[in-house]
Amino acid sequence: AGQGLERARASMKSKVQQYVEGVGGIRLWGFSPSLDLSAMIDGNSEEELNILSMMPGDICSFLKTIARMHSQKARQLNYYIIERHPEALARYILLLSIFFDDDLGPRECTEIFLEIYGNTMLRKQTSAFLHSKVEELIKFLTNGEGKLAEFIDITQMKFKERDAIEKVFKTWYESIECDMEEWREKRLRSYYEDRFDYRKNLIDWDYSMSVKDWAEIIHSKLFLWWRQEGIAYEIRDSKYPQPNRTMASYAEGKEKGYSKLKRGFWGDIVQSPYWSIGVHADEHSLYKKRSFQHTKTCQHVAEYNIYSLLYELSTKKPYKMPPEDSEIHGRSFWSGLSHRDVEKIEEEGEIETLQDDRLDTLSAGQARGNSSKKVPQGVRLILLQGENFDFMKGKKKFAELFDVVFLSNLCLQMLKEPLPDLLRARAALVVEGADFMLNFDKNDRKAFNDKIKELGKELGMVVEDGKRDRYKLYNGVHFPLYFLSFDKAAAQEVLAQRAKRQEEAVKSQASLESLLSQSTGDERPTAEALEGLEALDVP
């Protein structure tokens, strides 16, 4: 029994291992609700607004920010996104090309967007659509052609970084081998180990003990289906025979003792794609209950969010669901709109009359004459690749540039220099916490979130605890976000003291090294003495 216990202990993974194997090496979606980051600056009156998002793993905050530009004073928005992996940047470009595709009506656009965003497997027609997009994306990347070139700026990326993104695009052709089901199953078996056959019980435990308390709008069956099969958003009772090649990526590993890049599925298998767009919406009717059960699910919320972004970009008005649609109980948000705005779907062939699936029709005529999906004037999305802020250090074009900075919870260690040098005289920071992270217990989450505040204060920032009360889910649970404000004038003294401590630490280290280098004595026994000890058989 004792030996069995020791073997069990040896096989148990550390929390760090569990976390890494669960969320994966590349982030494919966000772990907190998307935000209008332009609203982080209270009373902003600047002509130009510069926002930096560090490794968000998600494009939805950008979409929400530009959709709300009509309510902000800034005329020019420069939105920077930095990612470590070219696969993440490639997915951003693809999702934006889907969102702004004028040939897609809002229903089809929403469904394809969510399917590629969150499902590891695709419908045949979606896979064919993805295949047809590759050439368009490559032309944008290499020649600056197409609608995306009007607002996406890749000129600050190195040529080898752009080449890496192009290579990613080319892996999305249907002719490229991609065994997504096998890759994901290998990840699941590695994660659960000898508990693989009991994974349903473990998933139920995660849901009952954590997810249900945070956001019950995530239905238990949907959560279970995604955790087991990788399907987050069900599209019209369809089958999903084709792999979602956009979720394939490379990771460093070893084979026969040699380092090797291995292609596979290295994304999240624990958290789910619901947190960014499936748990929060401005439409309160989505959260109605009957007999203590939600009448809607996270899928309704996600579909509503994408559709409302399309609507607001077109009309410059927030979308409000008509009262008669708030009583629908179908599995899709479209169940309420279809009987009035969209032709019924022929189940056998899933053929839709796209002529009636247009934004001017779905918005009941309010958007008529302006149905084209146009990016607001003055918007520029700058894509960059990097591990941290070091490549920005000392560069004039980044000095005191950013009004707002978002850091995902991958970037806690970046709350240090040179970050203060990148911020304007008055700036706001939003840092993603660990509140919704599975594989963490309450103490881990608290320690992580406390560290955010501690590191922020060391940089002279002020923790805005009151601001968190503005950002709650439908059930009163706070967003897993922490808000910091930065005033360069007020922070000068703190930063000066921090710099002095660091300088003293460097001097102390240097003086120790100097002392050792000047020392000529060596108290260790000589080779002759050691030989003498061996001869005497001294232990």
Side-chain angles (χ1 to χ4, degrees):
Q3 290 179 348
L5 182 61
E6 287 300 319
R7 284 197 299 270
R9 285 176 178 171
S11 66
M12 287 178 66
K13 297 176 182 176
S14 70
K15 289 182 180 179
V16 173
Q17 287 175 312
Q18 286 181 333
Y19 169 78
V20 171
E21 291 195 10
V23 300
I26 177 171
R27 186 161 291 193
L28 300 172
W29 39 72
F31 296 157
S32 57
S34 56
L35 285 180
D36 171 13
L37 289 175
S38 67
M40 296 301 108
I41 297 290
D42 295 326
N44 174 57
S45 60
E46 293 287 338
E47 290 289 307
E48 184 175 86
L49 188 63
N50 295 305
I51 296 174
L52 172 61
S53 187
M54 190 69 180
M55 298 184 191
D58 202 290
I59 198 63
C60 294
S61 284
F62 169 73
L63 291 173
K64 194 164 190 175
T65 301
I66 65 172
R68 300 281 168 84
M69 267 195 76
H70 63 87
S71 63
Q72 300 297 331
K73 296 179 181 179
R75 296 182 182 179
Q76 174 70 36
L77 173 65
N78 301 315
Y79 198 111
Y80 294 73
I81 297 181
I82 302 175
E83 283 288 354
R84 178 184 293 125
H85 302 285
E87 291 88 353
L89 294 170
R91 267 174 61 91
Y92 293 160
I93 296 170
L94 170 66
L95 290 171
L96 289 171
S97 76
I98 294 170
F99 190 87
F100 289 105
D101 191 328
D102 287 324
D103 292 330
L104 297 178
R107 175 172 186 169
E108 191 178 20
C109 178
T110 299
E111 289 176 342
I112 292 176
F113 185 99
L114 291 176
E115 192 177 355
I116 290 178
Y117 173 88
N119 293 356
T120 54
M121 302 298 291
L122 304 176
R123 296 174 295 165
K124 285 184 178 179
Q125 57 266 50
T126 305
S127 179
F129 173 84
L130 174 61
H131 176 91
S132 69
K133 274 282 182 183
V134 174
E135 288 300 322
E136 175 189 327
L137 298 176
I138 291 175
K139 286 180 181 179
F140 154 71
L141 192 70
T142 57
N143 303 328
E145 297 180 13
K147 192 172 185 177
L148 296 178
E150 297 174 8
F151 68 98
I152 299 181
D153 183 351
I154 57 170
T155 60
Q156 297 190 35
M157 298 180 67
K158 298 175 182 177
F159 286 110
K160 66 178 182 180
E161 293 170 344
R162 296 186 220 175
D163 290 342
I165 295 176
E166 183 180 355
K167 288 179 181 177
V168 174
F169 288 153
K170 290 179 178 178
T171 64
W172 295 349
Y173 284 120
E174 288 188 305
S175 59
I176 302 299
E177 183 180 353
C178 180
D179 197 344
M180 184 60 67
E181 289 179 312
E182 182 182 343
W183 291 344
R184 193 172 189 276
E185 184 176 334
K186 284 182 179 179
R187 286 283 313 287
L188 292 175
R189 288 186 178 278
S190 174
Y191 178 75
Y192 292 110
E193 293 184 311
D194 56 356
R195 300 174 298 172
F196 179 78
D197 292 335
Y198 309 100
R199 63 191 182 281
K200 184 178 181 297
N201 296 335
L202 295 171
I203 296 167
D204 286 339
W205 172 270
D206 279 346
Y207 182 83
S208 301
M209 301 304 293
S210 299
V211 176
K212 186 177 180 180
D213 292 336
W214 299 335
E216 196 178 8
I217 195 72
I218 299 177
H219 197 283
S220 58
K221 290 184 178 179
L222 293 178
F223 186 72
L224 176 65
W225 192 25
W226 175 80
R227 284 278 293 258
Q228 294 202 111
E229 306 296 335
I231 304 298
Y233 299 104
E234 184 181 14
I235 311 298
R236 312 181 192 180
D237 293 323
S238 302
K239 294 181 180 178
Y240 309 92
Q242 296 296 318
N244 185 351
R245 290 173 169 80
T246 74
M247 291 189 180
S249 59
Y250 287 90
E252 290 184 7
K254 285 193 175 182
E255 189 172 304
K256 297 180 180 179
Y258 294 96
S259 295
K260 184 179 180 181
L261 284 174
K262 190 171 183 180
R263 189 163 181 255
F265 174 73
W266 308 112
D268 169 35
I269 58 172
V270 171
Q271 293 293 128
S272 86
Y274 300 125
W275 296 108
S276 176
I277 51 177
V279 297
H280 176 72
D282 297 330
E283 179 56 58
H284 298 294
S285 65
L286 291 168
Y287 304 106
K288 284 184 178 180
K289 287 186 175 183
R290 285 190 176 175
S291 302
F292 305 103
Q293 296 291 324
H294 282 283
T295 60
K296 310 289 193 300
T297 70
C298 51
Q299 171 142 347
H300 293 90
V301 177
E303 290 175 339
Y304 170 88
N305 278 326
I306 299 302
Y307 173 81
S308 63
L309 290 173
L310 289 166
Y311 178 90
E312 191 164 358
L313 271 170
S314 178
T315 65
K316 295 182 172 57
K317 297 177 183 177
Y319 176 72
K320 293 294 181 184
M321 186 184 288
E324 61 268 27
D325 287 339
S326 67
E327 295 301 319
I328 62 168
H329 307 292
R331 283 182 293 177
S332 169
F333 162 74
W334 304 101
S335 300
L337 294 180
S338 59
H339 57 71
R340 186 184 71 250
D341 300 312
V342 184
E343 290 285 322
K344 289 185 178 180
I345 310 305
E346 293 182 21
E347 291 184 2
E348 185 176 347
E350 295 186 14
I351 300 171
E352 182 173 358
T353 307
L354 296 179
Q355 185 176 1
D356 290 335
D357 185 16
R358 295 295 179 189
L359 195 56
D360 54 354
T361 305
L362 282 173
S363 57
Q366 295 177 56
R368 193 171 296 280
N370 188 29
S371 60
S372 179
K373 304 169 188 175
K374 292 182 178 178
V375 180
Q377 287 187 347
V379 171
R380 192 167 65 112
L381 174 63
I382 301 96
L383 298 179
L384 300 168
Q385 190 173 345
E387 298 274 341
N388 47 47
F389 295 129
D390 287 351
F391 75 96
M392 294 179 160
K393 188 175 181 179
K395 293 185 178 179
K396 289 184 178 180
K397 63 181 178 181
F398 296 122
E400 298 185 1
L401 177 63
F402 299 108
D403 300 279
V404 181
V405 173
F406 172 85
L407 300 178
S408 73
N409 55 24
L410 287 173
C411 308
L412 179 63
Q413 74 281 8
M414 297 181 199
L415 266 174
K416 61 178 184 179
E417 290 80 0
L419 180 56
D421 298 331
L422 307 177
L423 303 176
R424 284 198 173 176
R426 299 191 68 178
L429 273 84
V430 184
V431 186
E432 188 177 57
D435 306 58
F436 292 168
M437 298 304 293
L438 299 168
N439 290 334
F440 283 18
D441 60 29
K442 290 182 179 179
N443 294 329
D444 297 328
R445 295 182 192 116
K446 184 179 185 303
F448 187 97
N449 298 335
D450 288 344
K451 192 67 175 178
I452 293 173
K453 300 176 183 180
E454 177 188 331
L455 294 176
K457 289 177 181 177
E458 288 181 5
L459 295 178
M461 298 176 184
V462 176
V463 179
E464 303 277 359
D465 283 327
K467 205 167 186 176
R468 295 198 74 211
D469 292 333
R470 303 183 200 173
Y471 298 94
K472 295 181 181 180
L473 299 182
Y474 63 95
N475 54 5
V477 174
H478 288 90
F479 286 15
L481 299 172
Y482 293 82
F483 302 91
L484 307 170
S485 62
F486 179 76
D487 186 319
K488 194 174 288 288
Q492 284 300 330
E493 184 177 350
V494 176
L495 291 171
Q497 291 175 354
R498 177 182 170 86
K500 186 176 181 181
R501 289 196 301 271
Q502 291 176 337
E503 185 180 347
E504 289 174 352
V506 170
K507 284 183 178 178
S508 175
Q509 181 68 23
S511 62
L512 177 60
E513 291 174 355
S514 175
L515 180 64
L516 291 173
S517 65
Q518 293 173 10
S519 174
T520 56
D522 190 346
E523 296 180 355
R524 293 173 295 177
T526 62
E528 291 81 2
L530 289 171
E531 289 176 2
L533 290 172
E534 285 182 4
L536 294 171
D537 196 24
V538 177

